[in-house]
Amino acid sequence: MNKHLRLVREFHDAFSVPQPESRASVRLSEMAIIMRQALLMEAGGELFRAIKSGDMVNILAGMINLSYSALGAIALQGADVLEQSISWQHDGFVISIMRLFSDKINKCTSGRPEHYSDVYCLCVYLSRGFINADFDKAFQMIHDSKMSSRGKSGALSSENAEDILKPNFFKTPDLSDCLYE
């Protein structure tokens, strides 16, 4: 199992997010796909705002949060990440990155694990190759921050069941150390 997916599954267990055992292969319901799409679009919106500001730390946080949302959908299906090769060449225009992310997020309306894997793999690829960051370290830092909030947030309740899955529910740690010089 992918190491980042394992961390997301740990988060789901800690916050009582229902998920099947790995390899149980469950299709998402129509409403679950809609909820997951909303989470991806919200995380994508935050990423686009970070790209607009040009702040590399916020861009990295946006990519981690987007990948966390994509992995959450994979975990809910009991699937594993399907490693996807990414073919993207920087053409000098930032809008090409926005289009690439938008296209990958849009394909997730299918609810298929491979499309969520595409989003995750794109985040890994661009964080390492475009913004020159340590994706693994940043992902772990965000995960640890979410897990340490367990005492503050408690288990899921009907009031916060959807909110706890939103990328901005937890405070994002400073990821400056994850950027290479």
Side-chain angles (χ1 to χ4, degrees), residues 4-5 8-9 11-12 17-19 28 36 39-40 65-78 116 139 165:
H4 300 130
L5 179 60
V8 170
R9 289 181 64 83
F11 171 80
H12 284 185
V17 176
Q19 63 185 352
L28 293 178
R36 288 293 154 177
L39 292 171
L40 287 173
N65 285 326
L66 181 58
S67 66
Y68 215 98
S69 293
L71 289 171
I74 295 169
L76 290 180
Q77 297 180 68
Y116 295 110
F139 195 97
L165 299 172

Side-chain angles (χ1 to χ4, degrees), residues 1-15 19 64 67-68 71-72 75 80-81 120 135-147:
M1 178 186 298
N2 176 284
K3 63 184 171 184
H4 300 130
L5 179 60
R6 191 172 312 131
L7 294 175
V8 170
R9 289 181 64 83
E10 177 185 319
F11 171 80
H12 284 185
D13 287 341
F15 287 93
Q19 63 185 352
I64 300 298
S67 66
Y68 215 98
L71 289 171
D80 200 355
V81 172
Y120 165 75
F135 183 87
D136 295 330
K137 181 178 179 182
F139 195 97
Q140 187 68 54
M141 287 175 69
I142 285 183
H143 174 74
D144 291 346
S145 176
K146 288 178 183 236
M147 294 300 284

